[in-house]
Amino acid sequence: MYNLFAFCATRKTVCRRAATSRLMVGFRKWYYNACGFNRLGLMRDDTINEDSDVKEAIRRLPEQVYNDRMFRLKRALDLSMKQQILPKDQWTKHEEDVHYLEPYLEEVVHERKEKEEWAKK
């Protein structure tokens, strides 16, 4: 029987993959902080450009998630107008950033594509 992990048997290969993985995680954290939205208390999904699919996904959010999003956006606008940022202990951390909009957005896009397929028939 074919062993799927036979090519990873050497310790050298495993160490290289772990190092590459750590490097990518470090780069992701650096990039996340370099973007700057976390300094305003925003999450990644708060910064998505609102097209029709995103607007529908936002409409489908549970009330508490929607209210939290609106609070973050209003606070960010206020800070931006004052040309200020949050204290560092209030910045959104990479580990705390939840992609709360993604499941709803994927559902909306799937439904739109399904409707387009039905319209073709």
Side-chain angles (χ1 to χ4, degrees):
M1 181 166 180
Y2 177 73
N3 186 352
L4 181 63
F5 297 103
F7 67 93
C8 295
T10 65
R11 185 178 188 112
K12 195 175 194 181
T13 304
V14 172
C15 288
R16 271 193 224 142
R17 287 187 181 183
T20 303
S21 177
R22 284 192 305 266
L23 181 65
M24 287 305 295
V25 169
F27 178 74
R28 285 187 191 124
K29 286 182 180 180
W30 172 83
Y31 185 75
Y32 183 84
N33 288 321
C35 287
F37 60 82
N38 64 323
R39 296 176 186 160
L40 299 173
L42 294 173
M43 294 184 171
R44 184 192 69 104
D45 284 356
D46 296 335
T47 63
I48 295 176
N49 188 24
E50 290 189 20
D51 60 6
S52 60
D53 291 340
V54 174
K55 286 180 182 177
E56 178 60 24
I58 291 169
R59 191 186 68 73
R60 295 182 184 191
L61 287 173
E63 185 177 359
Q64 184 60 44
V65 176
Y66 177 79
N67 290 339
D68 291 345
R69 172 188 166 85
M70 294 310 298
F71 171 78
R72 288 190 302 272
L73 291 171
K74 287 179 181 181
R75 178 179 57 185
L77 285 171
D78 183 54
L79 288 167
S80 180
M81 289 181 63
K82 294 176 182 176
Q83 297 183 353
Q84 296 176 348
I85 59 172
L86 290 172
K88 191 163 185 158
D89 63 330
Q90 294 181 19
W91 291 6
T92 306
K93 294 167 189 62
H94 181 263
E95 299 80 19
E96 296 171 352
D97 195 340
V98 179
H99 303 299
Y100 65 90
L101 194 59
E102 260 182 32
Y104 299 97
L105 187 56
E106 288 173 2
E107 183 179 314
V108 168
V109 170
H110 177 73
E111 288 174 3
R112 180 180 46 80
K113 287 181 179 178
E114 192 174 303
K115 284 179 185 177
E116 290 170 358
E117 287 295 319
W118 276 102
K120 288 181 184 177
K121 294 181 181 183

